[in-house]
Amino acid sequence: MTAKYPSVRRRRVQASSLTLSLLLVLGATPAAAEETSAATAAEGVSADAAAQVDDDVSRGDIIIVTARRRQETAQEVPVAISVIRGDSIEATGNFNVVKLQQLAPTLQVYTTNPRNTSVNIRGIGVPYGLTSDGFEQGVGIYVDDVYNSRVAAATFDFLDVDQVEVLRGPQGTLYGKNTTAGAINITTNQPTFDFEGRAEVSVGNLNYRQAKAAVSGPLTDKIAARIAVAATSRRGTLFNTRTDRWINEQDNLGLRGQLLFQPNEGLSITLAGDYSKQDPECCGTAFVRVGTTQRALNRQYDAIIARLQAANPNYNYIVPSRNVYDRLTDIDASLSAGNKIGGASLRVKWDIGPGTLTSITAWRFWDWLPENDRDFTGASVVSRSQNPSQQDQYSQEFRYNYEGDKVDFVVGLFGFKQRIDTQGTEQQGIDAARYSLAPSTDPNNVYNRPEVLNGLTASNTQFLKADSAALYGQLSYKLTRELTIQPGLRVNYDKKEGFYQRVVTTGAGQLITSCAPSATAGNAVLTAQCGVYQPQLTQPSVSDWNFSYDLNINYKVAPDVLAYATYAKSFKTVGINQNGLPLDTNNQPVLSASTVKPESVNHFEIGLKTQFLDRLATFNLTAFRTEIKNFQATVNGGQFGTVRGYLANAEKVVSQGVEADFKIRTSDRFTAYANGAYTDAKYKSFTNAPCPPELSGGTFQPANAAPDYSQPGVPGALSPRQCDISGFDLPGVSKWAFSYGAETNIPATLLAKDGQVYLGIDGNYRSRWNSNASPSIYTDVKGYALTNFRVGFRADGFDVFGWVRNAFDVRYIETLQVAPGNVGLIAGQPGDPRTWGGTVKFSF
């Protein structure tokens, strides 16, 4: 499903102008369709237009668009977009963006904790792996037109959501913040001048509890208000035998309030505020497997753990299970994923002549308070790992939309300012020396002296200042009734200033001032300590101008057949390495890595949108190819001693594929859908990539030697300094992805209420994918298929249903992580097991 015109794609949803409504998709009910039709008529739509809506609904039409103050169907608008109603999200249990990928095959969302969350579309968007503050998101997340700079917002529960739109492809000429891969637009329910309310309670296994409520109504004849609250809790899915507790739990609370002032039909002012917090014991991992690296065997995981066990027979270092689906772990460091996010916005919409002027002023904050076990083991190697962060962003957008008989256009100005402060601490534990250093029988060797590394601490102080401004616009010109051309352009300025300082102190509190060869020569203790942490100070700064544009041509082949083609020249702005820099052979920062070049994007797309069987069925087909030069990729060094992850440019990446969407509504008693995507996303050229674990850990080959890939995972072999991974698949991307669903109902009466008994099924499938920045034979994730069922009774203002998710208890992996130190340990997080429960919903 797509959006054609600027005003449609901007989605301005107000109490007086409903932007986009999805009917009868993913199990939406006939009642929902009737409510939308009635709401449209109530918003001042003409009698003829309202009659057309009713006719479309009766014939199975899917999306009704009224943002241009006239009726349009989404089948008339030529952009690849999936739109999912809030009631469909609730029915299928996909209560945040992380879960939403089960309904949108082209969406990939992976998270190891709220901060390290990757949201990609068609395999591109953000580098897979540890997240850095120094680069932009390729997939923009918007809530009521407000851009959220950090994807951590994606881990919160949807709060009073009307619908979610997933737009695919570059979105730079109609959006305030440029995005190269797409956008996720979340629209909340708006204040109403009719008193209404809703409440929902769900309970299930794993001590699952969720409650949602919202109430809306008039305060005066010109002021309306809406307030919503949601709370979710659930027991964890991993049992920590060390602490005798379930971890990776859910503990979410969200509040949202809105005031709408509407002095006349042509002016509306909405003030909104929201606050959400999470405080779970999260996010831990479990043992998955061991893969041989090129380190000596006595320095790999099994040998290390055996020696620790022998040296400490009264302490159990053996993992409680080597089957990750036993859901057992023994990690010893403290865990926390404290997360607070919120803000306020003021949106003004003013009808001026044939167009509408919109102003959106917003402030948002994000406070992140984590604690992690970075070594993924029960040994005290990294005893403390945390990077608390405080982030503030301010944005201002002005947008004017003109609508005429032959010409429509939107033009906008956008300004953005961000400040991020982070205070990081990482500390080595009592087992660090025996875990990280070469074994020795000499009692005086650093290997046999735990105090050498125990308490070694790296304290990081960093901040980022980011400013950007943009002028953008798009024109839609109807050459004929059937043929429309739609050019757009954007001028963008970005500036980033960063600061990073790492201070290293020993367990005795001694400051380490230098790790240069002249300082470590002949000093085994300092050499060992500098092999773990090195002091560093960098102050990167960069600014850049960019110009981008796109062109869409669409032609209505027949009344219910639309063909379109799009070319977009886009970019992802310049980035900086905000988490520290890699080191050269003299243990000095590589200053040339301070900044990261902008991505240059060429995007091609063609699509066909059709309806048939008297509009009871819809079939859409899209083919795309996205070429990216200077792709911003994540590089992980694999050692404790190097920075955890930094950005580098891959020479070229290509993502191409085909997407298909099918929906049918044979009657009020049956609806079904099936969506599929084939995505071939590859490093076309990445010649200096980090090596995967099977090629890491050995003595480095000479700097001018050609990499030798003939003996991966052979202990004692030479390791390349970099690897050429050209031709490999991008991480995190399944070539094949499908989602499907169906619902049937029959009339019934319950407790003197006339309604329907219904049965629904939905599911999704993803083929294999790789979970490491440089694809590894050890981080290959098998494909899986999940199936969900629901059965219930609904009537006017009442819905009760039971549900089973992952009904066949399929075992699958959400993410795999390579443990630092090149020891060969692979840890991960298994996906949710079978869950079941019930939901009761009331509305008035």
Side-chain angles (χ1 to χ4, degrees):
M1 292 169 290
T2 63
K4 176 179 180 181
Y5 298 103
S7 56
V8 174
R9 292 173 64 178
R10 287 309 313 176
R11 263 188 325 98
R12 302 180 193 122
V13 179
Q14 299 287 341
S16 62
S17 178
L18 181 64
T19 303
L20 206 55
S21 298
L22 179 64
L23 309 177
L24 303 169
V25 65
L26 307 178
T29 67
E34 293 166 6
E35 290 170 3
T36 302
S37 179
T40 303
E43 288 164 4
V45 179
S46 69
D48 290 342
Q52 179 62 44
V53 173
D54 291 336
D55 180 57
D56 287 341
V57 168
S58 69
R59 295 162 63 188
D61 206 9
I62 301 301
I63 300 178
I64 305 300
V65 178
T66 59
R68 290 163 51 84
R69 292 194 294 264
R70 63 176 181 269
Q71 296 303 315
E72 295 177 312
T73 69
Q75 287 302 107
E76 295 177 313
V77 289
V79 174
I81 176 174
S82 302
V83 186
I84 307 166
R85 278 185 60 89
D87 54 4
S88 298
I89 293 169
E90 294 170 356
T92 55
N94 298 285
F95 52 82
N96 59 26
V97 173
V98 176
K99 300 292 185 182
L100 197 64
Q101 62 181 324
Q102 296 184 14
L103 300 178
T106 55
L107 184 67
Q108 299 95 29
V109 186
Y110 304 104
T111 179
T112 56
N113 63 44
R115 184 177 190 272
N116 290 322
T117 300
S118 300
V119 179
N120 287 342
I121 292 175
R122 296 171 172 171
I124 55 179
V126 296
Y128 189 88
L130 292 168
T131 300
S132 169
D133 295 323
F135 68 94
E136 304 292 330
Q137 310 301 314
V139 177
I141 297 179
Y142 295 83
V143 180
D144 288 342
D145 276 347
V146 176
Y147 173 71
N148 286 254
S149 64
R150 302 306 307 172
V151 295
T155 65
F156 284 104
D157 291 355
F158 289 135
L159 181 58
D160 199 25
V161 166
D162 175 57
Q163 66 188 26
V164 176
E165 306 163 29
V166 181
L167 290 86
R168 284 109 67 181
Q171 304 295 325
T173 63
L174 283 171
Y175 282 79
K177 194 67 175 176
N178 183 66
T179 54
T180 55
I184 298 174
N185 293 323
I186 302 170
T187 304
T188 67
N189 292 305
Q190 299 297 294
T192 61
F193 284 97
D194 293 322
F195 186 65
E196 64 178 34
R198 59 190 295 265
E200 174 184 330
V201 176
S202 299
V203 296
N205 65 330
L206 305 184
N207 296 326
Y208 175 72
R209 304 288 187 271
Q210 186 175 73
K212 299 179 180 179
V215 63
S216 179
L219 300 181
T220 70
D221 61 346
K222 298 184 183 300
I223 300 176
R226 187 179 190 94
I227 188 168
V229 60
T232 303
S233 64
R234 194 185 76 173
R235 193 205 74 190
T237 54
L238 286 180
F239 187 75
N240 191 342
T241 60
R242 182 63 56 86
T243 60
D244 201 32
R245 286 176 57 91
W246 289 95
I247 62 172
N248 294 3
E249 60 194 5
Q250 294 176 8
D251 183 8
N252 301 344
L253 174 66
L255 300 167
R256 184 176 183 85
Q258 299 178 81
L259 281 175
L260 169 65
F261 175 51
Q262 194 168 14
N264 55 60
E265 292 185 359
L267 176 64
S268 65
I269 302 172
T270 304
L271 176 65
D274 66 281
Y275 173 81
S276 298
K277 76 178 185 71
Q278 296 174 325
D279 193 22
E281 186 172 353
C282 189
C283 299
T285 57
F287 178 98
V288 176
R289 64 174 66 101
V290 172
T292 305
T293 70
Q294 297 189 181
R295 265 194 165 189
L297 275 177
N298 64 358
R299 297 196 65 191
Q300 299 200 30
Y301 177 80
D302 286 327
I304 293 171
I305 294 299
R307 286 197 302 271
L308 286 175
Q309 184 67 42
N312 301 276
N314 295 324
Y315 200 77
N316 187 13
Y317 287 94
I318 307 303
V319 294
S321 176
R322 292 203 167 208
N323 181 353
V324 67
Y325 298 113
D326 287 340
R327 300 182 181 275
L328 298 175
T329 187
D330 65 343
I331 53 179
D332 64 313
S334 297
L335 293 179
S336 178
N339 203 11
K340 296 178 182 179
I341 194 166
S345 65
L346 180 67
R347 181 174 52 194
V348 180
K349 291 191 64 177
W350 186 18
D351 290 344
I352 301 177
T356 301
L357 177 66
T358 303
S359 169
I360 304 162
T361 307
W363 161 72
R364 298 206 60 77
F365 74 89
W366 175 40
D367 289 342
W368 170 232
L369 188 62
E371 292 182 85
N372 305 295
D373 191 319
R374 196 180 159 225
D375 57 62
F376 309 144
T377 73
S380 181
V381 182
V382 180
S383 61
R384 191 178 184 190
S385 179
Q386 58 189 43
N387 278 277
S389 179
Q390 306 83 42
Q391 306 194 22
D392 285 279
Q393 68 167 69
Y394 303 85
S395 60
Q396 174 63 58
E397 184 171 4
F398 295 104
R399 191 172 59 238
Y400 183 76
N401 186 80
Y402 170 85
E403 298 165 358
D405 293 335
K406 293 183 70 69
V407 175
D408 305 327
F409 70 83
V410 62
V411 61
L413 282 170
F414 178 76
F416 178 82
K417 188 177 186 65
Q418 182 182 34
R419 168 85 187 213
I420 305 174
D421 289 280
T422 303
Q423 311 83 37
T425 302
E426 189 163 293
Q427 188 173 78
Q428 297 288 290
I430 191 68
D431 299 316
R434 289 185 177 271
Y435 192 93
S436 301
L437 304 180
S440 173
T441 57
D442 181 357
N444 296 316
N445 187 277
V446 288
Y447 172 82
N448 291 304
R449 298 168 58 189
E451 72 277 5
V452 170
L453 295 185
N454 187 29
L456 184 70
T457 303
S459 301
N460 306 324
T461 301
Q462 57 182 291
F463 69 77
L464 170 72
K465 297 177 182 178
D467 301 283
S468 65
L471 170 66
Y472 63 88
Q474 190 177 92
L475 172 74
S476 178
Y477 179 65
K478 304 175 185 64
L479 291 173
T480 69
R481 293 188 61 181
E482 294 80 18
L483 179 63
T484 301
I485 61 171
Q486 196 166 284
L489 58 84
R490 179 186 186 90
V491 178
N492 202 94
Y493 172 77
D494 286 278
K495 182 179 181 180
K496 290 183 170 66
E497 296 179 72
F499 174 86
Y500 176 88
Q501 184 177 33
R502 172 187 280 178
V503 176
V504 181
T505 54
T506 68
Q510 182 181 358
L511 182 68
I512 295 178
T513 59
S514 175
C515 284
S518 58
T520 59
N523 189 334
V525 171
L526 184 59
T527 299
Q529 293 167 340
C530 286
V532 178
Y533 301 134
Q534 307 88 12
Q536 188 174 136
L537 174 64
T538 58
Q539 301 182 66
S541 179
V542 67
S543 62
D544 194 36
W545 286 89
N546 293 97
F547 175 75
S548 58
Y549 51 90
D550 56 41
L551 176 65
N552 176 282
I553 300 174
N554 58 86
Y555 184 76
K556 201 148 193 176
V557 180
D560 290 324
V561 179
L562 178 71
Y564 66 91
T566 299
Y567 168 72
K569 176 65 176 178
S570 188
F571 71 96
K572 183 193 287 186
T573 191
V574 66
I576 63 174
N577 270 307
Q578 184 60 19
N579 295 339
L581 299 178
L583 303 177
D584 60 22
T585 56
N586 292 317
N587 272 343
Q588 299 302 305
V590 180
L591 297 180
S592 61
S594 295
T595 62
V596 185
K597 296 177 183 178
E599 291 183 356
S600 177
V601 181
N602 284 293
H603 174 77
F604 308 85
E605 186 166 328
I606 57 174
L608 187 68
K609 315 194 76 171
T610 69
Q611 287 184 296
F612 51 96
L613 298 180
D614 199 23
R615 293 186 181 173
L616 292 174
T618 300
F619 178 72
N620 298 333
L621 189 65
T622 305
F624 66 91
R625 179 181 173 90
T626 305
E627 302 172 351
I628 304 177
K629 294 182 179 180
N630 295 320
F631 179 78
Q632 295 174 0
T634 298
V635 174
N636 292 306
Q639 297 285 347
F640 291 111
T642 59
V643 291
R644 296 179 61 185
Y646 62 97
L647 294 174
N649 290 111
E651 294 92 329
K652 188 173 182 180
V653 159
V654 173
S655 175
Q656 57 189 355
V658 179
E659 303 158 351
D661 302 280
F662 173 75
K663 297 177 295 292
I664 189 168
R665 174 181 178 242
T666 60
S667 70
D668 289 348
R669 302 296 173 212
F670 180 78
T671 63
Y673 72 92
N675 306 320
Y678 171 78
T679 306
D680 182 22
K682 283 185 166 57
Y683 292 110
K684 194 74 172 179
S685 178
F686 195 3
T687 56
N688 61 341
C691 292
E694 57 267 32
L695 288 171
S696 301
T699 303
F700 277 138
Q701 297 179 21
N704 58 352
D708 179 10
Y709 305 103
S710 62
Q711 295 182 311
V714 176
L718 293 176
S719 291
R721 293 183 180 274
Q722 291 91 28
C723 285
D724 184 350
I725 60 173
S726 304
F728 282 77
D729 292 339
L730 288 180
V733 188
S734 297
K735 268 195 167 55
W736 295 97
F738 301 96
S739 63
Y740 67 91
E743 184 178 302
T744 184
N745 67 77
I746 58 173
T749 301
L750 179 66
L751 300 177
K753 281 184 172 287
D754 293 331
Q756 304 164 347
V757 170
Y758 61 92
L759 171 67
I761 180 175
D762 62 90
N764 70 291
Y765 166 78
R766 290 186 179 272
S767 63
R768 59 157 296 275
W769 54 280
N770 208 278
S771 186
N772 194 51
S774 292
S776 167
I777 58 176
Y778 303 140
T779 56
D780 206 51
V781 178
K782 295 180 180 179
Y784 60 87
L786 304 179
T787 307
N788 313 313
F789 295 98
R790 63 187 181 277
V791 60
F793 173 83
R794 61 176 164 241
D796 184 26
F798 176 75
D799 189 359
V800 56
F801 61 96
W803 43 264
V804 181
R805 294 164 190 154
N806 189 8
F808 301 113
D809 202 19
V810 172
R811 295 179 168 186
Y812 67 102
I813 292 292
E814 289 191 339
T815 58
L816 294 177
Q817 298 181 69
V818 178
N822 294 317
V823 298
L825 172 62
I826 308 296
Q829 296 174 339
D832 285 352
R834 179 193 296 120
T835 58
W836 49 266
T839 299
V840 179
K841 300 166 63 175
F842 298 93
S843 62
F844 58 87

